[in-house]
Amino acid sequence: KQEVTQIPAALSVPEGENLVLNCSFTDSAIYNLQWFRQDPGKGLTSLLLIQSSQREQTSGRLNASLDKSSGRSTLYIAASQPGDSATYLCAVRPSTSYDKVIFGPGTSLSVIP
Amino acid sequence: NAGVTQTPKFQVLKTGQSMTLQCAQDMNHEYMSWYRQDPGMGLRLIHYSVGAGITDQGEVPNGYNVSRSTTEDFPLRLLSAAPSQTSVYFCASSYSWTGGSHEQYFGPGTRLTVT
């Protein structure tokens, strides 16, 4: 059974720091992996989607990498800002069952001005 | 495009009452799904649909019914609400079931409290 974990559960950094959020999954047979951002009391906003054949995706200050063989993805945030404070979730879509996306528990990020 | 919309935003029910959570998308997405989000449990899939007239169960389907009569709408019904159904409910959609990126788009959520 596919399981997704995210470490750390919470992270607090000063403004301007570069930071890395981690996502691990137990089964390498995935179709894609998607990173989301969730602000308190809000829905999920898609940040980056990495297909299984890709190694990384970039959008602005965000870079997500994927290493299927080791069951890991990282989300790199450059030059963090207070507006980046949110919970970040990763979600894995198994290649054997497209319908059942598995979410990680999330990392709560706080960027201190 | 409005994207994925959900109504209501907040709802309080008494145990045993029934209600329907509405979800609509205007992106012509084939795939739609419902999740619930609980502290410490993350997002869990309740039901999903790969097209009009086709639905299936997710990880936690008990106590919920769905139907998909149109591509745009995917309502979630609670037949007899229980306190254990207190949660935040999210609807999501993606463009293609068979191939494509499967990038998911989420609605703003419905916060449900059952007393």
Side-chain angles (χ1 to χ4, degrees), chain A residues 31-32 34 38 46 51 99, chain B residues 31 37 48 100-103:
Chain A
Y31 186 81
N32 64 29
Q34 193 168 357
Q38 184 176 29
S46 177
Q51 301 292 357
D99 49 348
Chain B
Y31 181 84
Q37 186 176 36
Y48 64 95
S101 73
H102 292 280
E103 182 173 7

Side-chain angles (χ1 to χ4, degrees), chain A residues 52-104:
Chain A
S52 63
S53 59
Q54 298 174 322
R55 296 284 298 191
E56 65 178 335
Q57 283 284 346
T58 299
S59 176
R61 294 184 294 109
L62 305 180
N63 176 277
S65 67
L66 175 64
D67 184 344
K68 280 199 310 179
S69 62
S70 66
R72 292 180 185 173
S73 176
T74 61
L75 179 66
Y76 175 83
I77 303 177
S80 58
Q81 303 170 357
D84 294 330
S85 298
T87 296
Y88 292 79
L89 299 105
C90 68
V92 167
R93 186 179 290 274
S95 56
T96 53
S97 56
Y98 295 154
D99 49 348
K100 295 176 180 173
V101 174
I102 312 296
F103 277 84

Side-chain angles (χ1 to χ4, degrees), chain B residues 70-99:
Chain B
T70 67
T71 299
E72 295 78 19
D73 301 298
F74 189 43
L76 179 72
R77 298 185 188 85
L78 284 70
L79 299 179
S80 179
S84 61
Q85 294 178 306
T86 293
S87 186
V88 182
Y89 292 84
F90 289 102
C91 179
S93 72
S94 60
Y95 177 68
S96 176
W97 162 243
T98 53

Side-chain angles (χ1 to χ4, degrees), chain B residues 32-82:
Chain B
M32 296 184 73
S33 56
W34 278 101
Y35 293 88
R36 59 178 289 173
Q37 186 176 36
D38 304 290
M41 302 293 289
L43 279 118
R44 292 180 292 170
L45 182 64
I46 305 171
H47 285 284
Y48 64 95
S49 169
V50 301
I54 306 170
T55 64
D56 207 342
Q57 297 179 351
E59 180 183 359
V60 288
N62 292 341
Y64 308 95
N65 280 355
V66 293
S67 61
R68 183 104 178 263
S69 57
T70 67
T71 299
E72 295 78 19
D73 301 298
F74 189 43
L76 179 72
R77 298 185 188 85
L78 284 70
L79 299 179
S80 179

